[in-house]
Amino acid sequence: QVQLVESGGGLVQPGGSLRLSCVVSGLKFAKYDMTWYRQSPGKEREFVATIATNGNPYYNGPMKDRFIISRDNTKKMVNLQANNLKPEDTAVYYCNAMGTAWDATGEFWGQGTQVTVSS
């Protein structure tokens, strides 16, 4: 059974930082591109950052200077370091896994972790 479990969300003041984590089980993690999305109330889900199987990161342009994505294939974990957070970063953050090989297929989602940026 595939599971993606996010953690690390919470309430933070503007200008603060959070480190989100997503632990994956039940699939060949190293063969999956891992992506963070977010969704605010009343808005569509938004791409934040992705990290490919080769470790190359890609960011939603405006977020590039404040968010850092990383992965640890040994721990089957993907992290998102979010710095200098703003109220508009308030959202549920979701972890996504996308297969990239014949023996690593499918797309999977976590349940999300809430990030609230407020004073």
Side-chain angles (χ1 to χ4, degrees), residues 13-75:
Q13 292 187 345
S17 298
L18 284 175
R19 184 176 178 83
L20 308 182
S21 296
C22 173
V23 178
V24 179
S25 60
L27 53 75
K28 297 177 181 178
F29 181 80
K31 295 186 177 183
Y32 282 76
D33 290 341
M34 299 301 301
T35 302
W36 286 96
Y37 291 85
R38 69 184 187 185
Q39 188 167 20
S40 304
K43 295 185 178 181
E44 293 188 353
R45 194 165 291 189
E46 178 182 31
F47 167 77
V48 177
T50 192
I51 187 162
T53 55
N54 62 7
N56 287 341
Y58 303 91
Y59 296 93
N60 183 328
M63 305 179 195
K64 184 176 182 180
D65 293 335
R66 299 188 295 117
F67 290 78
I68 302 171
I69 191 170
S70 61
R71 66 187 296 159
D72 185 330
N73 288 347
T74 300
K75 296 181 178 178

Side-chain angles (χ1 to χ4, degrees), residues 68-113:
I68 302 171
I69 191 170
S70 61
R71 66 187 296 159
D72 185 330
N73 288 347
T74 300
K75 296 181 178 178
K76 295 188 176 183
M77 176 184 294
V78 59
N79 299 307
L80 184 70
Q81 178 69 38
N83 301 318
N84 190 21
L85 286 162
K86 305 175 181 181
E88 52 264 41
D89 294 317
T90 295
V92 178
Y93 285 70
Y94 296 92
C95 177
N96 169 279
M98 179 72 76
T100 64
W102 68 270
D103 57 345
T105 61
E107 181 178 18
F108 304 92
W109 292 89
Q111 82 289 346
T113 185

